[in-house]
Amino acid sequence: MAAASWYHRDISRVVAEDLLAKAGRDGCFLVRDSESVAGAYALCLLFQRHVHTYRILPDDEGLLSVQTIQGIQAKCFRTLPDLIGAYQQPNNGLVTPLLYPVHRPRDAADEDSDGEDGRGNPAGSAVPAGGHRGSTGLGAPPARPHISQQLQLRLQEQVHSSPASDFMGFMAEYLTQHLQLDLEALRNGHLQLRHLSTALVTACRALHRRIDFTLAGLETLARVFDPPVSPRSPAREQGFLASDPDLELLLNKISAVNHLLSSLEKKVLRSLQETVSRHNLALPSLAAPPPATKPLAVQCFEVKVGKSQRAALRVDVELGTVTVTKKGSGSPEEIIPQDKILQLIKYQSVQSKVRLVYDRDPQRSLSKDFVFPSARKREAFCQLLQLMKIQHSNLDEPDLISVYVGTWNMGSAPPPRSLASWLTSRGLGRTQDETTACIPHDIYVIGTQENSLGDREWVEFLRASLKTLMAIDYRVVALQCLWSIKMVVLVKPEHERRISHVHTSSVKTGIANTLGNKGAVGISFLFNGTSFGFVNCHLASGSEKTHRRNQNYSDILRSLALGDKRLSAFDLTLRFTHLFWFGDLNYRLDMDVQDILSHVTKKEFGVLLAVDQLTLEREKNKVFLQFREGDISFPPTYRYERGSRDSYMWQKFKTTGVRINVPSWCDRILWKSHPETHLVCNSYGCTDDIVTSDHSPVFATFEVGVTSQFVPKSAPGSSPEPLACIEWDSIEVIVKTASRSKCYIEFHSYCLEEAQRSGENNSQSCDVPGFLRMGWSAKQLPMLNPILSDLEYLGDQHLLLSIKGVESCESYGECCIAMRSMIGSTAQQFETFLFHRGEETGSMRGWMKVRVPKERHSTRERLYEWISFEEEDDAPAADTPPCPKPPLRSRPHSLPEASSYTNPAYFIFEGLPTAWALGTGEAPSVPAESPTWGQRPRSPLRARVPSPRGCLLSPPGAGRQKRPKSAVLERDAPAMGDCSLTALHMASCLSQLERLAPERAGHSHKVQLRQTHSALEPPPRRSPGVPGRTTDARQHGHPGEWPCDRSRSVGLGHLGVQQGEEGLCAHGWDGPEFFRYPPAPELAAGGSEQAGTAAPRVPGRAPRPGGDER
């Protein structure tokens, strides 16, 4: 019995609602796996444009029933089809009978995941026909699986750890397509399994060639010690040269190899013993002395001081001094001990310039500016001083560690003898300077794909390589393998005791998600109090397989079991302080190969990145939401000619024709961190001298701030001490859903003894189709008490929040909030996005505060905080205790500036743009300012602005408080293309609502929309000549309420301004859409050019009502 078409397995809630919305008929339904209860299902039913979700739960006997309210008898069914059949009848307790099943689309998992090998045959469905989960079946009774399905299941069990990915692919193809033919032949009396023989010959074709090479080498070695002997007979000699090898010939070759290997060792041993005794030779000693640990050499930098004065800077890490010597002077001008250095300030305007602030005497401090020959030399100088500070600090536990991440598709070839360039970050791109290249990192994470070496052999090879380079015997934290995908984590011996809670996992995404030739391995652990996650993956290949790669990413994100089990309900990207994702992602360049080669020759990498599939998919919010990647300044790492790095081998000749593999950046390293944590990428590049594979190894190094297992400075006394507390004033959430379910919020944190939950939301509205708006007041939100009350401890903590449905207990979205900026005696505002299963599902904002007892306000500066940039922070508010904050760091130029215009939930929060609604002319002139820590202009969100059902978004008087940086709203890519939550999608929803308005309340019906200064503005205009910077001019208006006539819809073309449509398209909109506007004469009177020029409102920065900003 085939699996029911309405059963969609483990699709997400968002995907299920999208499928029902496309069906669009009352009574449409589908069944998916429950996200909250293992072995349960979720019945999703569309009625009156809203999706109703019912849980289907199994009891102890395996009977299924729809969850009901207390006191109502549940109807039990033996199978899921029986249950669905019963509820297709009316009057069964559902909002409407199950009328129209929404059929499951063809599984992306059944596509061929290896486009290069050209095998386009699936290994069968991921769920057997009539299969079952636990004790609940989809058939009644479950049909006995076909013999081919039984054998496929056995194959899956046997290949769990097999590296023979290609061979298993052939076998899966045989079981799927050709086994039935052999069975028919067997029934007809033919005892020869012709199709199996053909499959084995095809699968072993490469083995013939390998054995030929092996035999030739063994015979040559045998002749050296016994020249007349050759195990090959003349008859077999002719057989070896046959052009069409068969299984019998293969067995003869294997027999010859077996004969040679069994006799060769004894023969060589006997020959060497005779030679030694005959000539009385002495055998050399094989024991080599271990490499001695060498101190770091004194490094010297040529710099410019002042306008023209030349000087030399000598950095002695071991001694802990910086010596300044003017050129032409024999004696040093000044020697600065490390404990006198107060701060390093990096200039952003001049990338090679740095300011050194130090104490000359107790009464005064001095500063000197140094200009280095290049930005790389400046970074090397700063790294050496950072290392000097760490080595000479008196801390028991480190504040800062260095992490190396490397990825390499080895192409099933043995590695070269030396991996020095890869492990020391030397080659092309942003590489380590020679003065710092050999400084050992604290953690090495090495990920490989198509690695043919054995697990133990590979680990020992890496350890030996690092010992040779760094003179340190690194310890293995974990090794995780999936066939030829391997990941090794190595740490310095002194850090071994700091590593705990190690978890490993793997996910197969190969053919039908059952083969491990493609997939991912993961390792996670705690370094003292900081959680790390690492994912090494090998995604589907082929230029045309972008969608399949996206699906691979989604499957890995959903199935990889890493981190704290208590956080398993959260998105994988939120479970760790720092998550690194790397590997052969296999995303290609969408450009003609000759054009790619031309741009590579000219080093025009920016042009190529514009057609990079990974970049485009991230811009569409399909994959890697809010991940970051270093600047790519190295050529594509695939597909080189093996043995050289001078040319790309972009043609692959196959029996079916010529396949084009365009040069691409397949090998990537990305990362995502919790807000307000310290992580800096110091290098990102590839090697240029490792040529055994068609991929070049890629490396990245990071400077990462870590926290220790905090120990309170004062022991608890007998008298009760005041405790810190986390208080919430209000929370407002908008999620993308067609459900009307009530929700609650779950709070998780390492600083809480256990998870806490809120009450149900006390306000709810769904004015915009497809979005649900909910609010919680202070009465519904719990007060949280951290386990420790010290400011230093709380400043490092984060809160994880999950929005869950009351009925289904499934998550509508999760987010992370940093507590650092929330510390104070007055409520602070936070804003952040919601994520679930790698998708952006909405937004959250609210007001909260973290109260810390005054006697627990002591803190200290972290080692990584003494290096900052040229911006200066404003003094904190008087009532806010000082808390260490990470230095301001500019975003990499490869990423756009943070913006909020991409999220339609923001429009629902803020309304339509005042500049468009008011029809104003030019914006008032406002001096440009940079956002600073602890500075928040007065927010326009006052108590006088109406909230749904009286739920206040801000407490009285909160507008005068300083606004924190809080949960950082950073976009890794501008929202263009087919984003799920783009501004155009929101505009489309508004247009739909507008068309429905006359039907509901007549043509004269008007509604009040809340307006603020600059809510819905186009993407930011790029400043000319400065990549990644935006103009800081802001439009100021007067908040209030503005009537919007739903009976009138004015398109951009109706505005009478030629720049309207062009301005939107030029600034990032996909195309013109219909928005709800005030009457056209009002817009025409004021002009609309501001619509194309206003910069977006950046969350965390709001102007004061009245037009000024403080």
Side-chain angles (χ1 to χ4, degrees):
M1 176 179 174
S5 61
W6 38 256
Y7 174 51
H8 290 245
R9 303 189 181 101
D10 59 349
I11 64 171
S12 67
R13 174 189 56 80
V14 174
V15 173
E17 292 183 358
D18 286 342
L19 290 174
L20 291 171
K22 290 177 182 177
R25 302 170 69 182
D26 284 355
C28 291
F29 73 94
L30 60 84
V31 177
R32 58 178 173 84
D33 294 341
S34 171
E35 295 182 10
S36 57
V37 179
Y41 303 92
L43 171 61
C44 303
L45 176 61
L46 183 68
F47 182 66
Q48 294 182 353
R49 297 193 305 160
H50 290 275
V51 175
H52 301 262
T53 303
Y54 302 89
R55 281 205 291 187
I56 301 175
L57 303 175
D59 61 14
D60 295 337
E61 298 179 0
L63 300 178
L64 297 172
S65 62
V66 175
Q67 187 179 22
T68 61
I69 61 176
Q70 190 174 6
I72 297 181
Q73 181 67 31
K75 300 178 182 180
C76 297
F77 302 87
R78 187 165 298 278
T79 67
L80 196 54
D82 289 346
L83 184 149
I84 296 300
Y87 280 93
Q88 288 177 331
Q89 308 302 320
N91 303 322
N92 269 311
L94 305 183
V95 293
T96 183
L98 307 180
L99 300 177
Y100 311 107
V102 176
H103 300 294
R104 180 179 65 251
R106 186 175 71 91
D107 282 343
D110 289 343
E111 300 173 7
D112 169 33
S113 67
D114 196 348
E116 291 184 8
D117 292 341
R119 296 194 299 274
N121 301 298
S125 174
V127 176
H132 58 86
R133 299 166 62 246
S135 60
T136 63
L138 296 180
R144 179 179 178 83
H146 191 271
I147 183 172
S148 63
Q149 296 171 352
Q150 294 178 352
L151 293 174
Q152 288 175 37
L153 293 175
R154 292 182 188 176
L155 178 66
Q156 296 173 22
E157 296 172 359
Q158 296 298 324
V159 304
H160 177 71
S161 60
S162 171
S165 57
D166 292 339
F167 187 87
M168 294 306 170
F170 284 113
M171 291 303 98
E173 179 181 339
Y174 169 74
L175 294 177
T176 305
Q177 292 195 346
H178 304 301
L179 176 64
Q180 189 65 31
L181 300 177
D182 278 346
L183 286 175
E184 292 295 331
L186 190 60
R187 292 192 188 102
N188 295 331
H190 300 286
L191 300 181
Q192 293 181 345
L193 303 178
R194 184 170 59 87
H195 292 89
L196 175 62
S197 178
T198 302
L200 289 175
V201 169
T202 305
C204 297
R205 195 176 298 274
L207 182 59
H208 278 279
R209 295 192 295 269
R210 288 180 178 273
I211 289 183
D212 285 341
F213 286 119
T214 305
L215 270 175
L218 291 175
E219 289 172 356
T220 302
L221 184 60
R223 292 191 190 100
V224 171
F225 296 95
D226 193 0
V229 176
S230 175
R232 265 192 198 179
S233 64
R236 253 191 338 258
E237 183 76 32
Q238 296 176 1
F240 288 156
L241 301 178
S243 59
D244 187 18
D246 55 18
L247 292 180
E248 183 179 359
L249 176 60
L250 180 62
L251 292 176
N252 291 336
K253 291 181 179 181
I254 293 175
S255 176
V257 172
N258 181 42
H259 172 75
L260 276 171
L261 289 177
S262 61
S263 61
L264 189 58
E265 185 176 357
K266 295 179 181 179
K267 185 183 301 182
V268 173
L269 179 62
R270 185 170 57 252
S271 176
L272 291 178
Q273 287 175 341
E274 292 175 357
T275 303
V276 170
S277 61
R278 185 182 306 120
H279 298 283
N280 193 22
L281 298 177
L283 296 178
S285 173
L286 299 179
T293 302
K294 296 177 292 186
L296 196 63
V298 177
Q299 303 295 338
C300 188
F301 299 88
E302 296 292 332
V303 295
K304 186 169 69 172
V305 183
K307 293 184 178 180
S308 59
Q309 180 67 45
R310 299 283 178 175
L313 290 179
R314 291 171 54 86
V315 181
D316 191 330
V317 174
E318 301 296 330
L319 192 58
T321 59
V322 176
T323 304
V324 183
T325 305
K326 289 186 178 180
K327 193 171 183 180
S329 173
S331 58
E333 175 191 353
E334 193 166 7
I335 299 177
I336 308 172
Q338 59 86 21
D339 57 340
K340 297 293 185 181
I341 300 176
L342 302 179
Q343 194 176 25
L344 272 180
I345 303 175
K346 296 180 182 179
Y347 283 85
Q348 293 186 14
S349 54
V350 182
Q351 294 290 317
S352 59
K353 187 176 180 180
V354 70
R355 172 172 293 178
L356 182 67
V357 183
Y358 61 97
D359 271 339
R360 169 168 283 183
D361 51 59
Q363 282 75 30
R364 60 174 184 155
S365 61
L366 297 178
S367 63
K368 286 190 177 182
D369 290 349
F370 302 106
V371 179
F372 290 79
S374 65
R376 198 166 85 165
K377 288 293 183 183
R378 184 189 76 170
E379 293 304 312
F381 173 76
C382 294
Q383 287 182 45
L384 287 173
L385 262 63
Q386 190 83 272
L387 181 63
M388 180 194 301
K389 281 281 189 180
I390 293 173
Q391 287 194 8
H392 293 272
S393 67
N394 297 321
L395 297 176
D396 295 328
E397 298 297 330
D399 282 340
L400 189 73
I401 62 172
S402 59
V403 177
Y404 171 97
V405 177
T407 177
W408 183 25
N409 185 321
M410 298 174 63
S412 301
R417 291 184 178 181
S418 174
L419 300 176
S421 59
W422 187 30
L423 297 176
T424 57
S425 307
R426 289 182 291 184
L428 305 174
R430 186 182 178 191
T431 60
Q432 295 278 63
D433 187 72
E434 61 271 11
T435 58
T436 57
C438 288
I439 296 177
H441 298 281
D442 296 286
I443 299 177
Y444 283 85
V445 184
I446 312 294
T448 53
Q449 310 83 39
E450 297 185 23
N451 186 341
S452 59
L453 269 65
D455 298 349
R456 183 185 298 272
E457 181 184 6
W458 175 241
V459 171
E460 292 306 317
F461 179 70
L462 288 176
R463 293 185 65 200
S465 299
L466 287 173
K467 192 169 184 177
T468 301
L469 292 169
M470 310 296 178
I472 296 176
D473 188 12
Y474 278 84
R475 307 299 170 83
V476 179
V477 172
L479 164 69
Q480 181 66 6
C481 303
L482 175 67
W483 291 17
S484 60
I485 306 172
K486 306 179 191 295
M487 178 161 56
V488 185
V489 177
L490 305 168
V491 299
K492 285 182 177 179
E494 61 264 30
H495 295 320
E496 195 172 17
R497 64 178 179 81
R498 300 184 173 105
I499 302 293
S500 64
H501 299 79
V502 179
H503 296 93
T504 61
S505 180
S506 62
V507 176
K508 298 175 183 176
T509 63
I511 299 176
N513 280 359
T514 60
L515 298 185
N517 61 321
K518 296 292 189 293
V521 294
I523 296 175
S524 65
F525 56 84
L526 281 177
F527 186 100
N528 282 342
T530 302
S531 57
F532 286 88
F534 299 91
V535 179
N536 170 34
C537 68
H538 192 184
L539 305 185
S541 60
S543 295
E544 71 284 359
K545 296 294 180 61
T546 303
H547 175 73
R548 178 73 178 126
R549 283 186 281 274
N550 294 351
Q551 186 62 45
N552 288 164
Y553 168 79
S554 178
D555 293 339
I556 295 167
L557 198 69
R558 183 183 70 253
S559 304
L560 209 56
L562 292 175
D564 193 335
K565 292 183 179 179
R566 294 173 296 178
L567 303 179
S568 59
F570 282 84
D571 193 290
L572 178 70
T573 63
L574 293 175
R575 296 180 205 168
F576 308 102
T577 313
H578 305 287
L579 175 64
F580 299 85
W581 195 306
F582 51 94
D584 183 359
L585 306 188
N586 252 324
Y587 287 93
R588 309 301 173 91
L589 297 178
D590 287 331
M591 183 182 284
D592 180 76
V593 64
Q594 295 300 332
D595 293 335
I596 293 175
L597 296 174
S598 174
H599 288 302
V600 170
T601 302
K602 300 175 183 176
K603 296 184 178 181
E604 296 173 341
F605 301 139
V607 177
L608 297 179
L609 285 170
V611 296
D612 171 60
Q613 290 177 351
L614 178 58
T615 302
L616 296 175
E617 294 305 296
R618 289 178 63 199
E619 288 178 352
K620 297 174 185 177
N621 285 348
K622 296 291 187 181
V623 290
F624 295 103
L625 269 70
Q626 289 202 341
F627 275 78
R628 300 178 67 182
E629 184 180 19
D631 291 330
I632 294 181
S633 56
F634 50 92
T637 55
Y638 172 84
R639 182 179 186 252
Y640 280 106
E641 181 180 2
R642 294 179 189 246
S644 170
R645 284 299 175 265
D646 298 329
S647 59
Y648 290 96
M649 184 63 68
W650 50 271
Q651 289 179 308
K652 187 172 186 177
F653 297 93
K654 304 171 66 68
T655 56
T656 56
V658 179
R659 182 179 182 86
I660 304 300
N661 291 309
V662 299
S664 302
W665 285 288
C666 292
D667 312 281
R668 312 286 275 269
I669 299 173
L670 300 97
W671 73 93
K672 182 179 180 180
S673 299
H674 279 348
E676 300 187 35
T677 54
H678 179 85
L679 187 145
V680 178
C681 181
N682 288 324
S683 66
Y684 188 32
C686 68
T687 64
D688 57 358
D689 60 350
I690 297 179
V691 296
T692 55
S693 170
D694 52 0
H695 292 253
S696 287
V698 173
F699 52 80
T701 59
F702 301 90
E703 172 188 297
V704 184
V706 293
T707 60
S708 60
Q709 299 289 354
F710 187 80
V711 178
K713 295 179 175 59
S714 57
S718 56
S719 59
E721 298 182 0
L723 300 176
C725 62
I726 304 170
E727 299 177 6
W728 307 85
D729 287 356
S730 63
I731 291 179
E732 192 170 18
V733 169
I734 292 177
V735 293
K736 181 190 177 187
T737 181
S739 172
R740 293 180 178 178
S741 172
K742 286 276 190 176
C743 292
Y744 64 91
I745 304 176
E746 222 171 55
F747 302 87
H748 291 256
S749 178
Y750 286 116
C751 70
L752 302 177
E753 287 189 2
E754 58 184 2
Q756 303 286 332
R757 59 179 290 177
S758 72
E760 296 180 11
N761 55 294
N762 65 327
S763 68
Q764 184 169 307
S765 62
C766 48
D767 296 333
V768 178
F771 294 92
L772 180 64
R773 175 175 182 165
M774 297 172 284
W776 286 260
S777 63
K779 292 182 179 180
Q780 282 74 41
L781 298 170
M783 180 183 294
L784 308 177
N785 294 113
I787 55 178
L788 294 175
S789 300
D790 296 76
L791 176 65
E792 183 179 335
Y793 168 77
L794 294 174
D796 292 326
Q797 302 304 310
H798 293 80
L799 289 169
L800 295 180
L801 279 64
S802 177
I803 313 300
K804 290 190 173 182
V806 173
E807 298 172 356
S808 65
C809 295
E810 293 185 337
S811 174
Y812 284 77
E814 305 99 44
C815 66
C816 176
I817 300 174
M819 290 174 55
R820 176 172 303 216
S821 294
M822 301 292 104
I823 297 175
S825 59
T826 56
Q828 306 290 320
Q829 188 178 16
F830 65 89
E831 300 173 274
T832 185
F833 295 117
L834 295 173
F835 300 94
H836 184 61
R837 285 190 168 190
E839 301 178 39
E840 182 186 314
T841 59
S843 287
M844 171 189 286
R845 71 175 182 181
W847 293 81
M848 64 174 291
K849 57 189 170 188
V850 180
R851 292 181 177 272
V852 180
K854 291 183 178 180
E855 55 270 23
R856 297 298 184 92
H857 280 188
S858 62
T859 184
R860 65 178 179 85
E861 186 182 41
R862 306 299 169 89
L863 282 176
Y864 54 80
E865 291 172 349
W866 69 287
I867 297 182
S868 61
F869 287 103
E870 59 193 276
E871 292 92 356
E872 295 180 358
D873 294 345
D874 287 354
D879 58 353
T880 302
C883 184
K885 305 177 180 65
L888 284 174
R889 297 187 181 274
S890 59
R891 292 167 56 81
H893 292 316
S894 60
L895 303 176
E897 295 294 324
S899 60
S900 60
Y901 65 87
T902 57
N903 194 331
Y906 179 71
F907 310 144
I908 304 176
F909 277 141
E910 302 293 355
L912 297 178
T914 307
W916 295 356
L918 293 177
T920 55
E922 290 195 21
S925 176
V926 179
E929 294 184 52
S930 299
T932 57
W933 279 95
Q935 180 179 6
R936 179 180 62 85
R938 190 177 173 188
S939 172
L941 301 175
R942 294 292 157 262
R944 65 193 187 96
V945 179
S947 302
R949 300 188 186 179
C951 175
L952 298 183
L953 290 180
S954 56
R960 299 187 180 275
Q961 306 304 326
K962 295 184 178 292
R963 186 171 184 174
K965 196 166 184 177
S966 182
V968 181
L969 295 181
E970 289 187 345
R971 271 294 196 173
D972 277 352
M976 293 186 288
D978 55 342
C979 309
S980 59
L981 290 179
T982 58
L984 294 180
H985 176 70
M986 180 63 187
S988 177
C989 294
L990 294 175
S991 299
Q992 294 174 13
L993 187 64
E994 202 169 305
R995 288 194 296 269
L996 293 173
E999 301 175 9
R1000 293 182 180 178
H1003 292 276
S1004 61
H1005 177 68
K1006 296 183 179 181
V1007 295
Q1008 300 290 324
L1009 291 180
R1010 297 190 312 156
Q1011 299 297 324
T1012 57
H1013 67 294
S1014 57
L1016 175 59
E1017 296 169 345
R1021 166 176 290 181
R1022 299 285 180 182
S1023 299
V1026 184
R1029 299 292 182 89
T1030 59
T1031 55
D1032 203 30
R1034 289 183 276 273
Q1035 175 81 10
H1036 290 261
H1038 299 277
E1041 298 178 1
W1042 291 89
C1044 178
D1045 192 345
R1046 287 190 176 183
S1047 65
R1048 307 184 66 173
S1049 180
V1050 183
L1052 296 178
H1054 301 160
L1055 299 181
V1057 181
Q1058 183 177 1
Q1059 293 96 328
E1061 180 178 337
E1062 298 175 356
L1064 288 176
C1065 294
H1067 287 80
W1069 300 112
D1070 297 318
E1073 286 275 345
F1074 285 89
F1075 289 85
R1076 291 182 294 172
Y1077 286 102
E1082 294 182 24
L1083 287 169
S1088 62
E1089 292 186 3
Q1090 284 302 119
T1093 59
R1097 173 185 181 270
V1098 178
R1101 185 195 310 167
R1104 297 178 65 245
D1108 61 337
E1109 188 170 330
R1110 292 180 181 175

